[in-house]
């Protein structure tokens, strides 16, 4: 008899984005001409930087020329891209990360899920609440959790609340956990972590033999000079942290697909036979076996992010989205909303007015303003009473959406 991975049956059926789509489609069926503006899903809207497009066009020409044609590339990514990443993203910030510790991939989403392949089943796992849902769902799929309760919390996971009550700072757990997911700048709250706050996590991980999965997909949005961009800026992080990065949000590669994961070579875990095992070797083995690399064309596009023109163009892109976030913050604050994030991050996290639930506020915005955002409760129980508004949109749409919201809620 064929058996399925029954852990999939534990996943909550009403996943956030399908439910949003269901409500929006229901509304549109009755109001087909409603001028809906979507400030919900965190996809980028602005075109790819010219430097990346030009590099990819040239790479296509390479592929049409026998002398420069590329077949299978290294599973870990081309050395020229890994070298640029190591120099610009890490060594330039004082992090001792070598190109060989960088694994180029087709997404931080896949990597944050796939990383579980190299860890055992019995680890204790901590996530923040609210959280990027992929961390939780991939652990459910891997059989690392029990069933979900009514609030959507899965048995066996440690949830660390991040709300206005604790200034969106993830408090260090009192118990020992093995694997810890941290994401800064944070999706969905837009909060950031200071060096001191992250150092406390690194110290905790080292003291407890834990591993931190640090998702820095939004690091490019950090404008405050004092904030760390990488966990490896903290003392000791190379002994306890794996970092995930992406070209999706800094260079608009959400549809082009390129990302990377950093696994330091000195990061070891003791196996049941007492042997110290290098996580780098396991991840290298995993990638070499299950992954065949990112296309040459896309890696050339990613490489161009580090050219002078590329750096200038991605700065323009990020500044544009950050200005959208500033507009959203300013307009909502002007009519009395409590807003968080959106300064070093593309997400603005809004307290729903008059104690409305996240979904009630969603419906109100949809019906009265024809604006779609993301209910905070969809990111976890502690997100109830909050709402995420994304700055990834055209200026025109952001201004129009804010005009409608401020008129309705003034
Ligand atoms: N990590 C976080 C925190 C995200 O919010 C997202 C996308 O929204 C990703 C990772 C996905 O990155 P990628 O496009 O590289 O798969």
């Amino acid at each position: 008899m064929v058996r399925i991975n029954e852990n999939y049956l534990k996943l909550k059926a009403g996943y956030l984005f399908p439910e949003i789509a269901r409500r929006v489609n229901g509304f549109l069926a009755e109001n087909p001409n409603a001028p809906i503006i979507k400030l919900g899903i965190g996809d980028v809207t602005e075109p790819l930087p010219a430097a990346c497009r030009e590099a990819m066009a040239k790479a296509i020409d390479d592929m049409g020329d026998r002398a420069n044609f590329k077949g299978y590339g290294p599973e870990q990514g081309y050395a020229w891209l890994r070298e640029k990443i190591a120099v610009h993203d890490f060594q330039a910030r004082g992090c001792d990360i070598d190109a060989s510790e960088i694994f180029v991939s087709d997404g931080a989403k896949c990597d944050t899920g796939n990383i579980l392949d190299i860890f055992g089943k019995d680890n204790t796992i901590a996530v923040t609440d609210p959280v990027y849902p992929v961390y939780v769902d991939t652990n459910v799929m891997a059989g690392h959790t029990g069933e979900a309760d009514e609030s959507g919390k899965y048995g066996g996971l440690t949830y660390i609340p991040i709300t206005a009550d604790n200034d969106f700072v993830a408090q260090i757990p009192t118990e020992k956990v093995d694997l810890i997911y941290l994401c800064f700048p944070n999706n969905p709250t837009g909060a950031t972590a200071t060096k001191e706050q992250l150092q406390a996590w690194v110290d905790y991980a080292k003291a407890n033999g834990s591993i931190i999965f640090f998702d820095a997909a939004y690091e490019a949005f950090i404008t405050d000079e004092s904030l760390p961009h990488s966990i490896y800026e903290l003392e000791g992080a190379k002994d306890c942290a794996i970092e995930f990065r992406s070209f999706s949000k800094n260079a608009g590669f959400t549809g082009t697909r390129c990302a990377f994961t950093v696994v330091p070579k000195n990061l070891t875990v003791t196996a049941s036979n007492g042997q110290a095992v290098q996580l780098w070797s396991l991840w290298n083995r995993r990638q070499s076996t299950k992954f065949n690399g990112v296309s040459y064309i896309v890696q050339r596009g990613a490489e161009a992010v580090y050219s002078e023109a590329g750096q200038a163009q991605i700065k323009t892109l990020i500044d544009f989205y950050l200005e959208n976030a500033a507009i959203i913050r300013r307009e909502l604050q002007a009519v009395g909303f409590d807003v968080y994030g959106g300064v070093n991050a593309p997400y603005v996290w809004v307290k729903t007015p008059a104690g409305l639930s996240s979904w009630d506020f969603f419906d109100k915005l949809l019906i009265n303003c024809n604006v779609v955002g993301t209910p905070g409760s969809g990111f976890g129980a502690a997100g109830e009473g909050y709402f995420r508004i994304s700055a990834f949109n055209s200026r025109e749409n952001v201004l129009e959406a804010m005009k409608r919201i401020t008129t309705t809620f003034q």
Side-chain angles (χ1 to χ4, degrees), residues 223-244:
T223 51
D224 180 339
E225 295 282 327
S226 71
L227 295 173
H229 288 240
S230 164
I231 196 155
Y232 304 117
E233 290 177 46
L234 288 317
E235 187 70 38
K238 273 188 78 178
D239 302 324
C240 65
I242 291 174
E243 183 163 307
F244 303 93

Side-chain angles (χ1 to χ4, degrees), residues 106-307:
D106 59 352
K109 182 182 189 175
C110 346
D111 282 0
T112 53
N114 291 337
I115 198 75
L116 294 176
D117 271 14
I118 65 168
F119 290 91
K121 293 232 171 287
D122 300 322
N123 292 306
T124 47
I125 297 157
V127 292
T128 61
D129 180 8
V131 68
Y132 177 51
V134 172
Y135 313 149
V136 172
D137 287 359
T138 51
N139 273 292
V140 176
M141 291 170 175
H144 298 168
T145 72
E147 300 286 343
D149 68 14
E150 267 166 28
S151 73
K153 285 186 176 170
Y154 288 91
L157 291 185
T158 298
Y159 288 88
I160 305 167
I162 43 172
T163 64
D165 294 339
N166 59 16
D167 276 336
F168 301 96
V169 177
Q171 301 295 324
I172 309 253
T174 43
E175 71 272 32
K176 179 179 172 318
V177 283
D178 299 312
L179 303 176
I180 302 150
Y181 289 84
L182 295 178
C183 171
F184 291 109
N186 188 257
N187 176 15
T189 66
T192 50
T194 64
K195 281 196 170 140
E196 294 69 31
Q197 286 159 354
L198 268 193
Q199 186 66 60
W201 276 104
V202 169
D203 294 346
Y204 167 89
K206 285 198 70 172
N208 290 283
S210 322
I211 301 286
I212 296 173
F213 295 148
F214 189 72
D215 187 340
Y218 297 97
E219 66 78 29
F221 291 84
I222 295 175
T223 51
D224 180 339
E225 295 282 327
S226 71
L227 295 173
H229 288 240
S230 164
I231 196 155
Y232 304 117
E233 290 177 46
L234 288 317
E235 187 70 38
K238 273 188 78 178
D239 302 324
C240 65
I242 291 174
E243 183 163 307
F244 303 93
R245 292 273 191 110
S246 175
F247 293 98
S248 284
K249 308 296 165 90
N250 63 349
F253 272 45
T254 52
T256 307
R257 311 303 304 144
C258 199
F260 58 91
T261 290
V262 186
V263 187
K265 285 195 169 147
N266 55 327
L267 192 52
T268 57
V269 169
T270 310
S272 54
N273 65 3
Q275 186 195 342
V277 177
Q278 198 187 29
L279 291 180
W280 182 92
S281 307
L282 298 190
W283 185 244
N284 190 42
R285 187 73 170 84
R286 192 258 170 220
Q287 290 298 82
S288 309
T289 304
K290 292 195 181 181
F291 185 58
N292 244 341
V294 176
S295 88
Y296 168 71
I297 298 163
V298 168
Q299 290 192 63
R300 281 292 186 205
E303 183 194 25
V305 165
Y306 299 100
S307 66

Side-chain angles (χ1 to χ4, degrees), residues 92-115:
R93 300 197 65 83
C95 309
D96 177 24
I97 294 295
D98 186 72
S100 62
E101 296 172 308
I102 287 157
F103 293 82
V104 176
S105 79
D106 59 352
K109 182 182 189 175
C110 346
D111 282 0
T112 53
N114 291 337
I115 198 75

